[in-house]
Amino acid sequence: LWRIVGERIFMAIDSEAKGWVSIGFEPTKIMANSDMVFGFVETSGSVKAVDAWSTGMFGPHPADVDQGGKDSILSFAGLRTGNRVVFEFSRDLVTGDKYDKPIPAKGALKIIWAYSQSMGFNAKHSRAGGATLDMGGSN
């Protein structure tokens, strides 16, 4: 789910994940050069977000700050109920960070998504896919 307000995007991921959830923007090949956001919602209610960049087709995807970039996530929150997790975050459409892809307010946005049954940041995803979003409207 997403909504654009001014120059900012608010996104939500709703998943049946026991571990982390993620979304990647505009990969060039499989996961390569994808601007990624990972969300972690612990059973305790603790929530963490990581702004990352995939360096290869199958990763790795270190945090932007570990590659000389910046953390561009402006806000985040999450809720876990049983095996269902909802993770929300916001960021500017254009951050100016070389490890962030501009998100168009209109037109097509290619995404990849994944979730894991583990909370380990480097744990392999248990399910993944991709789509092209029509940013002309809010969902």
Side-chain angles (χ1 to χ4, degrees):
L1 306 164
W2 73 92
R3 181 168 312 254
I4 295 174
V5 179
E7 297 299 314
R8 189 163 290 161
I9 188 164
F10 297 83
M11 295 197 94
I13 301 167
D14 183 351
S15 174
E16 290 184 4
K18 292 181 182 175
W20 52 257
V21 296
S22 68
I23 187 168
F25 305 110
E26 296 292 343
T28 54
K29 189 170 184 183
I30 305 176
M31 288 174 43
N33 303 307
S34 179
D35 172 14
M36 306 175 102
V37 175
F38 285 77
F40 303 82
V41 182
E42 301 280 351
T43 54
S44 67
S46 174
V47 183
K48 183 172 95 169
V50 176
D51 183 4
W53 177 267
S54 184
T55 62
M57 289 192 318
F58 303 104
H61 40 69
D64 288 9
V65 296
D66 294 339
Q67 300 182 72
K70 65 179 184 174
D71 182 348
S72 301
I73 299 169
L74 300 173
S75 63
F76 61 90
L79 177 66
R80 180 172 295 282
T81 306
N83 286 341
R84 188 147 218 95
V85 63
V86 176
F87 172 74
E88 302 174 333
F89 69 93
S90 69
R91 64 159 262 198
D92 289 335
L93 296 173
V94 178
T95 68
D97 183 5
K98 67 181 179 178
Y99 295 108
D100 291 332
K101 300 269 179 105
I103 295 176
K106 294 184 179 182
L109 175 66
K110 185 178 174 184
I111 65 162
I112 55 176
W113 58 267
Y115 64 82
S116 177
Q117 299 307 321
S118 170
M119 285 293 183
F121 180 61
N122 292 315
K124 183 168 173 51
H125 56 71
S126 55
R127 190 140 189 236
T132 299
L133 303 180
D134 176 0
M135 301 305 287
S138 293
N139 289 333

mmCIF file of all heavy atoms in Angstrom, residues 36-88:
data_model
loop_
_atom_site.group_PDB
_atom_site.id
_atom_site.type_symbol
_atom_site.label_atom_id
_atom_site.label_comp_id
_atom_site.label_asym_id
_atom_site.label_seq_id
_atom_site.Cartn_x
_atom_site.Cartn_y
_atom_site.Cartn_z
ATOM 1 N N MET A 36 16.581 -0.670 -1.209
ATOM 2 C CA MET A 36 15.742 -1.552 -0.408
ATOM 3 C C MET A 36 15.418 -0.971 0.967
ATOM 4 O O MET A 36 16.216 -0.228 1.534
ATOM 5 C CB MET A 36 16.448 -2.898 -0.224
ATOM 6 C CG MET A 36 16.858 -3.542 -1.530
ATOM 7 S SD MET A 36 17.804 -5.047 -1.296
ATOM 8 C CE MET A 36 16.508 -6.224 -1.632
ATOM 9 N N VAL A 37 14.255 -1.355 1.478
ATOM 10 C CA VAL A 37 13.865 -1.042 2.848
ATOM 11 C C VAL A 37 13.453 -2.356 3.505
ATOM 12 O O VAL A 37 12.633 -3.096 2.963
ATOM 13 C CB VAL A 37 12.703 -0.029 2.907
ATOM 14 C CG1 VAL A 37 12.246 0.166 4.350
ATOM 15 C CG2 VAL A 37 13.116 1.301 2.290
ATOM 16 N N PHE A 38 14.063 -2.648 4.652
ATOM 17 C CA PHE A 38 13.741 -3.842 5.444
ATOM 18 C C PHE A 38 13.033 -3.401 6.714
ATOM 19 O O PHE A 38 13.447 -2.438 7.357
ATOM 20 C CB PHE A 38 15.018 -4.596 5.842
ATOM 21 C CG PHE A 38 15.637 -5.370 4.733
ATOM 22 C CD1 PHE A 38 16.378 -4.725 3.749
ATOM 23 C CD2 PHE A 38 15.471 -6.746 4.650
ATOM 24 C CE1 PHE A 38 16.957 -5.438 2.717
ATOM 25 C CE2 PHE A 38 16.044 -7.465 3.615
ATOM 26 C CZ PHE A 38 16.789 -6.811 2.642
ATOM 27 N N GLY A 39 11.985 -4.150 7.072
ATOM 28 C CA GLY A 39 11.263 -3.887 8.306
ATOM 29 C C GLY A 39 11.289 -5.099 9.212
ATOM 30 O O GLY A 39 11.113 -6.229 8.754
ATOM 31 N N PHE A 40 11.549 -4.855 10.481
ATOM 32 C CA PHE A 40 11.608 -5.905 11.500
ATOM 33 C C PHE A 40 10.619 -5.542 12.604
ATOM 34 O O PHE A 40 10.740 -4.477 13.202
ATOM 35 C CB PHE A 40 13.010 -5.987 12.117
ATOM 36 C CG PHE A 40 14.103 -6.224 11.118
ATOM 37 C CD1 PHE A 40 14.643 -5.177 10.382
ATOM 38 C CD2 PHE A 40 14.599 -7.500 10.911
ATOM 39 C CE1 PHE A 40 15.646 -5.394 9.457
ATOM 40 C CE2 PHE A 40 15.607 -7.733 9.997
ATOM 41 C CZ PHE A 40 16.123 -6.681 9.269
ATOM 42 N N VAL A 41 9.646 -6.415 12.839
ATOM 43 C CA VAL A 41 8.668 -6.195 13.905
ATOM 44 C C VAL A 41 8.761 -7.408 14.831
ATOM 45 O O VAL A 41 8.303 -8.492 14.495
ATOM 46 C CB VAL A 41 7.243 -6.022 13.353
ATOM 47 C CG1 VAL A 41 6.272 -5.747 14.497
ATOM 48 C CG2 VAL A 41 7.188 -4.909 12.313
ATOM 49 N N GLU A 42 9.393 -7.215 15.973
ATOM 50 C CA GLU A 42 9.591 -8.306 16.931
ATOM 51 C C GLU A 42 8.280 -8.654 17.636
ATOM 52 O O GLU A 42 7.370 -7.829 17.700
ATOM 53 C CB GLU A 42 10.627 -7.889 17.988
ATOM 54 C CG GLU A 42 11.981 -7.516 17.425
ATOM 55 C CD GLU A 42 12.851 -8.717 17.101
ATOM 56 O OE1 GLU A 42 12.480 -9.854 17.467
ATOM 57 O OE2 GLU A 42 13.897 -8.516 16.471
ATOM 58 N N THR A 43 8.204 -9.848 18.171
ATOM 59 C CA THR A 43 7.014 -10.249 18.933
ATOM 60 C C THR A 43 6.837 -9.361 20.168
ATOM 61 O O THR A 43 5.728 -9.175 20.644
ATOM 62 C CB THR A 43 7.076 -11.730 19.351
ATOM 63 O OG1 THR A 43 8.293 -11.955 20.053
ATOM 64 C CG2 THR A 43 6.986 -12.639 18.141
ATOM 65 N N SER A 44 7.941 -8.785 20.652
ATOM 66 C CA SER A 44 7.881 -7.878 21.804
ATOM 67 C C SER A 44 7.261 -6.534 21.440
ATOM 68 O O SER A 44 6.948 -5.737 22.319
ATOM 69 C CB SER A 44 9.295 -7.645 22.345
ATOM 70 O OG SER A 44 10.073 -6.918 21.383
ATOM 71 N N GLY A 45 7.119 -6.270 20.128
ATOM 72 C CA GLY A 45 6.593 -4.988 19.684
ATOM 73 C C GLY A 45 7.669 -4.029 19.218
ATOM 74 O O GLY A 45 7.369 -2.987 18.637
ATOM 75 N N SER A 46 8.940 -4.373 19.455
ATOM 76 C CA SER A 46 10.049 -3.540 19.002
ATOM 77 C C SER A 46 10.095 -3.533 17.473
ATOM 78 O O SER A 46 9.934 -4.566 16.838
ATOM 79 C CB SER A 46 11.356 -4.096 19.567
ATOM 80 O OG SER A 46 12.462 -3.398 19.051
ATOM 81 N N VAL A 47 10.299 -2.351 16.895
ATOM 82 C CA VAL A 47 10.311 -2.201 15.443
ATOM 83 C C VAL A 47 11.627 -1.570 15.009
ATOM 84 O O VAL A 47 12.123 -0.631 15.643
ATOM 85 C CB VAL A 47 9.134 -1.320 14.964
ATOM 86 C CG1 VAL A 47 9.108 -1.216 13.446
ATOM 87 C CG2 VAL A 47 7.811 -1.860 15.483
ATOM 88 N N LYS A 48 12.192 -2.098 13.908
ATOM 89 C CA LYS A 48 13.446 -1.575 13.363
ATOM 90 C C LYS A 48 13.304 -1.488 11.852
ATOM 91 O O LYS A 48 12.600 -2.303 11.245
ATOM 92 C CB LYS A 48 14.596 -2.509 13.738
ATOM 93 C CG LYS A 48 15.964 -2.034 13.299
ATOM 94 C CD LYS A 48 17.058 -2.905 13.875
ATOM 95 C CE LYS A 48 17.439 -3.972 12.882
ATOM 96 N NZ LYS A 48 18.635 -4.718 13.217
ATOM 97 N N ALA A 49 13.963 -0.511 11.241
ATOM 98 C CA ALA A 49 13.970 -0.350 9.795
ATOM 99 C C ALA A 49 15.410 -0.195 9.318
ATOM 100 O O ALA A 49 16.228 0.409 10.007
ATOM 101 C CB ALA A 49 13.160 0.873 9.393
ATOM 102 N N VAL A 50 15.707 -0.740 8.152
ATOM 103 C CA VAL A 50 17.037 -0.616 7.549
ATOM 104 C C VAL A 50 16.876 -0.148 6.109
ATOM 105 O O VAL A 50 16.147 -0.763 5.327
ATOM 106 C CB VAL A 50 17.814 -1.949 7.586
ATOM 107 C CG1 VAL A 50 19.147 -1.815 6.879
ATOM 108 C CG2 VAL A 50 18.001 -2.435 9.011
ATOM 109 N N ASP A 51 17.558 0.940 5.775
ATOM 110 C CA ASP A 51 17.645 1.456 4.414
ATOM 111 C C ASP A 51 18.885 0.809 3.800
ATOM 112 O O ASP A 51 19.992 1.025 4.283
ATOM 113 C CB ASP A 51 17.780 2.981 4.477
ATOM 114 C CG ASP A 51 17.810 3.654 3.124
ATOM 115 O OD1 ASP A 51 17.651 2.967 2.092
ATOM 116 O OD2 ASP A 51 17.996 4.887 3.090
ATOM 117 N N ALA A 52 18.708 0.000 2.745
ATOM 118 C CA ALA A 52 19.809 -0.804 2.212
ATOM 119 C C ALA A 52 19.923 -0.656 0.698
ATOM 120 O O ALA A 52 19.042 -0.099 0.041
ATOM 121 C CB ALA A 52 19.598 -2.272 2.590
ATOM 122 N N TRP A 53 21.024 -1.204 0.150
ATOM 123 C CA TRP A 53 21.297 -1.199 -1.287
ATOM 124 C C TRP A 53 21.873 -2.553 -1.655
ATOM 125 O O TRP A 53 22.859 -2.991 -1.061
ATOM 126 C CB TRP A 53 22.295 -0.103 -1.628
ATOM 127 C CG TRP A 53 22.686 -0.059 -3.060
ATOM 128 C CD1 TRP A 53 23.766 -0.677 -3.633
ATOM 129 C CD2 TRP A 53 22.041 0.649 -4.117
ATOM 130 N NE1 TRP A 53 23.814 -0.402 -4.972
ATOM 131 C CE2 TRP A 53 22.755 0.416 -5.293
ATOM 132 C CE3 TRP A 53 20.894 1.449 -4.167
ATOM 133 C CZ2 TRP A 53 22.387 0.963 -6.519
ATOM 134 C CZ3 TRP A 53 20.529 1.995 -5.387
ATOM 135 C CH2 TRP A 53 21.273 1.756 -6.535
ATOM 136 N N SER A 54 21.260 -3.223 -2.631
ATOM 137 C CA SER A 54 21.763 -4.527 -3.063
ATOM 138 C C SER A 54 22.904 -4.336 -4.049
ATOM 139 O O SER A 54 22.741 -3.700 -5.088
ATOM 140 C CB SER A 54 20.654 -5.354 -3.705
ATOM 141 O OG SER A 54 21.145 -6.629 -4.030
ATOM 142 N N THR A 55 24.044 -4.907 -3.737
ATOM 143 C CA THR A 55 25.245 -4.721 -4.553
ATOM 144 C C THR A 55 25.391 -5.758 -5.668
ATOM 145 O O THR A 55 26.228 -5.601 -6.545
ATOM 146 C CB THR A 55 26.510 -4.766 -3.673
ATOM 147 O OG1 THR A 55 26.586 -6.047 -3.060
ATOM 148 C CG2 THR A 55 26.474 -3.686 -2.616
ATOM 149 N N GLY A 56 24.576 -6.820 -5.642
ATOM 150 C CA GLY A 56 24.675 -7.850 -6.669
ATOM 151 C C GLY A 56 23.326 -8.465 -6.967
ATOM 152 O O GLY A 56 22.331 -8.174 -6.303
ATOM 153 N N MET A 57 23.287 -9.354 -7.958
ATOM 154 C CA MET A 57 22.034 -9.976 -8.370
ATOM 155 C C MET A 57 21.364 -10.746 -7.238
ATOM 156 O O MET A 57 20.146 -10.841 -7.190
ATOM 157 C CB MET A 57 22.260 -10.916 -9.556
ATOM 158 C CG MET A 57 22.557 -10.186 -10.836
ATOM 159 S SD MET A 57 22.491 -11.211 -12.328
ATOM 160 C CE MET A 57 23.287 -12.712 -11.850
ATOM 161 N N PHE A 58 22.157 -11.314 -6.343
ATOM 162 C CA PHE A 58 21.621 -12.089 -5.220
ATOM 163 C C PHE A 58 22.132 -11.534 -3.900
ATOM 164 O O PHE A 58 22.296 -12.261 -2.945
ATOM 165 C CB PHE A 58 21.995 -13.564 -5.381
ATOM 166 C CG PHE A 58 21.511 -14.140 -6.681
ATOM 167 C CD1 PHE A 58 22.375 -14.357 -7.729
ATOM 168 C CD2 PHE A 58 20.163 -14.421 -6.862
ATOM 169 C CE1 PHE A 58 21.923 -14.863 -8.944
ATOM 170 C CE2 PHE A 58 19.703 -14.931 -8.064
ATOM 171 C CZ PHE A 58 20.588 -15.152 -9.109
ATOM 172 N N GLY A 59 22.363 -10.236 -3.856
ATOM 173 C CA GLY A 59 22.902 -9.590 -2.673
ATOM 174 C C GLY A 59 24.412 -9.587 -2.735
ATOM 175 O O GLY A 59 24.972 -9.877 -3.782
ATOM 176 N N PRO A 60 25.044 -9.218 -1.653
ATOM 177 C CA PRO A 60 24.445 -8.805 -0.381
ATOM 178 C C PRO A 60 23.775 -7.441 -0.503
ATOM 179 O O PRO A 60 23.888 -6.760 -1.519
ATOM 180 C CB PRO A 60 25.643 -8.764 0.567
ATOM 181 C CG PRO A 60 26.804 -8.436 -0.308
ATOM 182 C CD PRO A 60 26.504 -9.092 -1.638
ATOM 183 N N HIS A 61 23.124 -7.058 0.584
ATOM 184 C CA HIS A 61 22.400 -5.784 0.610
ATOM 185 C C HIS A 61 22.712 -5.060 1.916
ATOM 186 O O HIS A 61 21.870 -4.954 2.804
ATOM 187 C CB HIS A 61 20.896 -5.995 0.441
ATOM 188 C CG HIS A 61 20.358 -7.178 1.178
ATOM 189 N ND1 HIS A 61 20.277 -7.238 2.545
ATOM 190 C CD2 HIS A 61 19.912 -8.355 0.716
ATOM 191 C CE1 HIS A 61 19.770 -8.392 2.897
ATOM 192 N NE2 HIS A 61 19.541 -9.102 1.809
ATOM 193 N N PRO A 62 23.938 -4.540 2.032
ATOM 194 C CA PRO A 62 24.302 -3.809 3.252
ATOM 195 C C PRO A 62 23.486 -2.522 3.401
ATOM 196 O O PRO A 62 22.983 -1.969 2.425
ATOM 197 C CB PRO A 62 25.780 -3.463 3.053
ATOM 198 C CG PRO A 62 26.216 -4.135 1.805
ATOM 199 C CD PRO A 62 25.013 -4.587 1.064
ATOM 200 N N ALA A 63 23.396 -2.064 4.630
ATOM 201 C CA ALA A 63 22.729 -0.794 4.909
ATOM 202 C C ALA A 63 23.439 0.331 4.157
ATOM 203 O O ALA A 63 24.666 0.298 3.977
ATOM 204 C CB ALA A 63 22.741 -0.518 6.412
ATOM 205 N N ASP A 64 22.687 1.329 3.729
ATOM 206 C CA ASP A 64 23.268 2.481 3.032
ATOM 207 C C ASP A 64 24.392 3.113 3.849
ATOM 208 O O ASP A 64 25.427 3.476 3.297
ATOM 209 C CB ASP A 64 22.197 3.549 2.771
ATOM 210 C CG ASP A 64 21.200 3.155 1.689
ATOM 211 O OD1 ASP A 64 21.217 1.997 1.239
ATOM 212 O OD2 ASP A 64 20.388 4.024 1.306
ATOM 213 N N VAL A 65 24.172 3.250 5.160
ATOM 214 C CA VAL A 65 25.176 3.910 6.002
ATOM 215 C C VAL A 65 26.480 3.121 6.054
ATOM 216 O O VAL A 65 27.542 3.699 6.256
ATOM 217 C CB VAL A 65 24.645 4.182 7.433
ATOM 218 C CG1 VAL A 65 23.483 5.169 7.395
ATOM 219 C CG2 VAL A 65 24.240 2.905 8.139
ATOM 220 N N ASP A 66 26.419 1.805 5.840
ATOM 221 C CA ASP A 66 27.632 0.987 5.824
ATOM 222 C C ASP A 66 28.371 1.090 4.497
ATOM 223 O O ASP A 66 29.483 0.569 4.364
ATOM 224 C CB ASP A 66 27.303 -0.483 6.117
ATOM 225 C CG ASP A 66 26.790 -0.691 7.526
ATOM 226 O OD1 ASP A 66 27.058 0.177 8.392
ATOM 227 O OD2 ASP A 66 26.113 -1.707 7.766
ATOM 228 N N GLN A 67 27.747 1.744 3.503
ATOM 229 C CA GLN A 67 28.365 1.906 2.188
ATOM 230 C C GLN A 67 28.712 3.368 1.903
ATOM 231 O O GLN A 67 29.030 3.729 0.773
ATOM 232 C CB GLN A 67 27.415 1.386 1.098
ATOM 233 C CG GLN A 67 27.079 -0.092 1.269
ATOM 234 C CD GLN A 67 26.183 -0.583 0.162
ATOM 235 O OE1 GLN A 67 26.621 -0.729 -0.976
ATOM 236 N NE2 GLN A 67 24.916 -0.838 0.480
ATOM 237 N N GLY A 68 28.599 4.222 2.921
ATOM 238 C CA GLY A 68 28.908 5.637 2.750
ATOM 239 C C GLY A 68 27.697 6.492 2.410
ATOM 240 O O GLY A 68 27.824 7.673 2.147
ATOM 241 N N GLY A 69 26.499 5.894 2.432
ATOM 242 C CA GLY A 69 25.269 6.638 2.166
ATOM 243 C C GLY A 69 24.627 7.089 3.462
ATOM 244 O O GLY A 69 25.262 7.109 4.521
ATOM 245 N N LYS A 70 23.345 7.434 3.367
ATOM 246 C CA LYS A 70 22.632 7.878 4.568
ATOM 247 C C LYS A 70 21.355 7.071 4.742
ATOM 248 O O LYS A 70 20.847 6.464 3.805
ATOM 249 C CB LYS A 70 22.317 9.369 4.498
ATOM 250 C CG LYS A 70 21.356 9.751 3.394
ATOM 251 C CD LYS A 70 21.061 11.243 3.406
ATOM 252 C CE LYS A 70 20.019 11.562 2.347
ATOM 253 N NZ LYS A 70 19.593 12.932 2.385
ATOM 254 N N ASP A 71 20.844 7.068 5.960
ATOM 255 C CA ASP A 71 19.568 6.433 6.262
ATOM 256 C C ASP A 71 18.483 7.436 5.894
ATOM 257 O O ASP A 71 18.350 8.470 6.529
ATOM 258 C CB ASP A 71 19.491 6.071 7.740
ATOM 259 C CG ASP A 71 18.204 5.354 8.113
ATOM 260 O OD1 ASP A 71 17.263 5.323 7.291
ATOM 261 O OD2 ASP A 71 18.130 4.822 9.229
ATOM 262 N N SER A 72 17.721 7.139 4.847
ATOM 263 C CA SER A 72 16.722 8.072 4.331
ATOM 264 C C SER A 72 15.307 7.782 4.814
ATOM 265 O O SER A 72 14.368 8.440 4.383
ATOM 266 C CB SER A 72 16.751 8.055 2.797
ATOM 267 O OG SER A 72 18.032 8.421 2.331
ATOM 268 N N ILE A 73 15.153 6.812 5.709
ATOM 269 C CA ILE A 73 13.824 6.501 6.241
ATOM 270 C C ILE A 73 13.475 7.572 7.273
ATOM 271 O O ILE A 73 14.194 7.773 8.244
ATOM 272 C CB ILE A 73 13.795 5.094 6.864
ATOM 273 C CG1 ILE A 73 14.139 4.050 5.793
ATOM 274 C CG2 ILE A 73 12.429 4.809 7.483
ATOM 275 C CD1 ILE A 73 14.389 2.669 6.338
ATOM 276 N N LEU A 74 12.383 8.273 7.031
ATOM 277 C CA LEU A 74 11.995 9.393 7.892
ATOM 278 C C LEU A 74 11.190 8.949 9.101
ATOM 279 O O LEU A 74 11.310 9.531 10.172
ATOM 280 C CB LEU A 74 11.195 10.414 7.079
ATOM 281 C CG LEU A 74 11.948 11.011 5.886
ATOM 282 C CD1 LEU A 74 11.006 11.865 5.050
ATOM 283 C CD2 LEU A 74 13.150 11.808 6.371
ATOM 284 N N SER A 75 10.343 7.944 8.910
ATOM 285 C CA SER A 75 9.547 7.417 10.013
ATOM 286 C C SER A 75 9.205 5.976 9.702
ATOM 287 O O SER A 75 9.199 5.569 8.543
ATOM 288 C CB SER A 75 8.260 8.235 10.210
ATOM 289 O OG SER A 75 7.436 8.135 9.061
ATOM 290 N N PHE A 76 8.932 5.203 10.756
ATOM 291 C CA PHE A 76 8.527 3.817 10.568
ATOM 292 C C PHE A 76 7.770 3.334 11.796
ATOM 293 O O PHE A 76 7.930 3.877 12.891
ATOM 294 C CB PHE A 76 9.717 2.899 10.268
ATOM 295 C CG PHE A 76 10.752 2.836 11.346
ATOM 296 C CD1 PHE A 76 10.673 1.885 12.360
ATOM 297 C CD2 PHE A 76 11.816 3.719 11.362
ATOM 298 C CE1 PHE A 76 11.635 1.820 13.361
ATOM 299 C CE2 PHE A 76 12.783 3.669 12.344
ATOM 300 C CZ PHE A 76 12.692 2.711 13.345
ATOM 301 N N ALA A 77 6.935 2.321 11.577
ATOM 302 C CA ALA A 77 6.151 1.724 12.654
ATOM 303 C C ALA A 77 5.759 0.329 12.211
ATOM 304 O O ALA A 77 5.846 -0.006 11.024
ATOM 305 C CB ALA A 77 4.906 2.558 12.953
ATOM 306 N N GLY A 78 5.334 -0.486 13.147
ATOM 307 C CA GLY A 78 4.913 -1.831 12.791
ATOM 308 C C GLY A 78 4.073 -2.466 13.869
ATOM 309 O O GLY A 78 4.062 -2.021 15.020
ATOM 310 N N LEU A 79 3.363 -3.519 13.472
ATOM 311 C CA LEU A 79 2.515 -4.264 14.376
ATOM 312 C C LEU A 79 2.552 -5.726 13.965
ATOM 313 O O LEU A 79 2.489 -6.043 12.780
ATOM 314 C CB LEU A 79 1.074 -3.737 14.295
ATOM 315 C CG LEU A 79 0.018 -4.459 15.127
ATOM 316 C CD1 LEU A 79 0.293 -4.265 16.611
ATOM 317 C CD2 LEU A 79 -1.363 -3.939 14.762
ATOM 318 N N ARG A 80 2.668 -6.603 14.933
ATOM 319 C CA ARG A 80 2.647 -8.042 14.684
ATOM 320 C C ARG A 80 1.480 -8.637 15.451
ATOM 321 O O ARG A 80 1.308 -8.404 16.636
ATOM 322 C CB ARG A 80 3.955 -8.684 15.138
ATOM 323 C CG ARG A 80 3.986 -10.193 14.894
ATOM 324 C CD ARG A 80 5.355 -10.777 15.176
ATOM 325 N NE ARG A 80 6.358 -10.297 14.273
ATOM 326 C CZ ARG A 80 6.537 -10.722 13.020
ATOM 327 N NH1 ARG A 80 5.746 -11.637 12.515
ATOM 328 N NH2 ARG A 80 7.499 -10.232 12.273
ATOM 329 N N THR A 81 0.668 -9.420 14.733
ATOM 330 C CA THR A 81 -0.448 -10.140 15.328
ATOM 331 C C THR A 81 -0.391 -11.568 14.802
ATOM 332 O O THR A 81 -0.650 -11.792 13.619
ATOM 333 C CB THR A 81 -1.801 -9.499 14.944
ATOM 334 O OG1 THR A 81 -1.759 -8.116 15.282
ATOM 335 C CG2 THR A 81 -2.949 -10.167 15.666
ATOM 336 N N GLY A 82 -0.009 -12.503 15.666
ATOM 337 C CA GLY A 82 0.172 -13.886 15.212
ATOM 338 C C GLY A 82 1.252 -13.955 14.160
ATOM 339 O O GLY A 82 2.342 -13.450 14.364
ATOM 340 N N ASN A 83 0.958 -14.560 13.015
ATOM 341 C CA ASN A 83 1.931 -14.640 11.922
ATOM 342 C C ASN A 83 1.813 -13.479 10.949
ATOM 343 O O ASN A 83 2.477 -13.458 9.924
ATOM 344 C CB ASN A 83 1.755 -15.956 11.154
ATOM 345 C CG ASN A 83 2.282 -17.130 11.928
ATOM 346 O OD1 ASN A 83 3.080 -16.974 12.852
ATOM 347 N ND2 ASN A 83 1.828 -18.311 11.578
ATOM 348 N N ARG A 84 0.991 -12.510 11.242
ATOM 349 C CA ARG A 84 0.787 -11.379 10.341
ATOM 350 C C ARG A 84 1.555 -10.169 10.861
ATOM 351 O O ARG A 84 1.530 -9.861 12.045
ATOM 352 C CB ARG A 84 -0.700 -11.061 10.252
ATOM 353 C CG ARG A 84 -1.016 -10.047 9.220
ATOM 354 C CD ARG A 84 -2.382 -10.343 8.598
ATOM 355 N NE ARG A 84 -2.315 -10.051 7.185
ATOM 356 C CZ ARG A 84 -2.061 -10.934 6.241
ATOM 357 N NH1 ARG A 84 -1.864 -12.175 6.534
ATOM 358 N NH2 ARG A 84 -2.011 -10.580 4.981
ATOM 359 N N VAL A 85 2.237 -9.488 9.922
ATOM 360 C CA VAL A 85 2.980 -8.284 10.278
ATOM 361 C C VAL A 85 2.609 -7.164 9.310
ATOM 362 O O VAL A 85 2.412 -7.399 8.120
ATOM 363 C CB VAL A 85 4.513 -8.532 10.274
ATOM 364 C CG1 VAL A 85 5.013 -8.895 8.896
ATOM 365 C CG2 VAL A 85 5.273 -7.346 10.798
ATOM 366 N N VAL A 86 2.461 -5.981 9.860
ATOM 367 C CA VAL A 86 2.270 -4.778 9.063
ATOM 368 C C VAL A 86 3.422 -3.845 9.421
ATOM 369 O O VAL A 86 3.646 -3.542 10.595
ATOM 370 C CB VAL A 86 0.918 -4.091 9.339
ATOM 371 C CG1 VAL A 86 0.812 -2.780 8.559
ATOM 372 C CG2 VAL A 86 -0.231 -5.023 8.983
ATOM 373 N N PHE A 87 4.167 -3.413 8.400
ATOM 374 C CA PHE A 87 5.297 -2.513 8.576
ATOM 375 C C PHE A 87 5.063 -1.299 7.686
ATOM 376 O O PHE A 87 4.741 -1.443 6.506
ATOM 377 C CB PHE A 87 6.610 -3.210 8.196
ATOM 378 C CG PHE A 87 7.785 -2.292 8.172
ATOM 379 C CD1 PHE A 87 8.349 -1.841 9.350
ATOM 380 C CD2 PHE A 87 8.324 -1.868 6.965
ATOM 381 C CE1 PHE A 87 9.429 -0.960 9.329
ATOM 382 C CE2 PHE A 87 9.409 -1.007 6.939
ATOM 383 C CZ PHE A 87 9.962 -0.555 8.113
ATOM 384 N N GLU A 88 5.197 -0.115 8.269
ATOM 385 C CA GLU A 88 4.994 1.132 7.533
ATOM 386 C C GLU A 88 6.242 1.996 7.624
ATOM 387 O O GLU A 88 6.940 1.981 8.632
ATOM 388 C CB GLU A 88 3.829 1.917 8.128
ATOM 389 C CG GLU A 88 2.521 1.171 8.156
ATOM 390 C CD GLU A 88 1.435 1.930 8.890
ATOM 391 O OE1 GLU A 88 1.758 2.749 9.789
ATOM 392 O OE2 GLU A 88 0.275 1.699 8.562
#
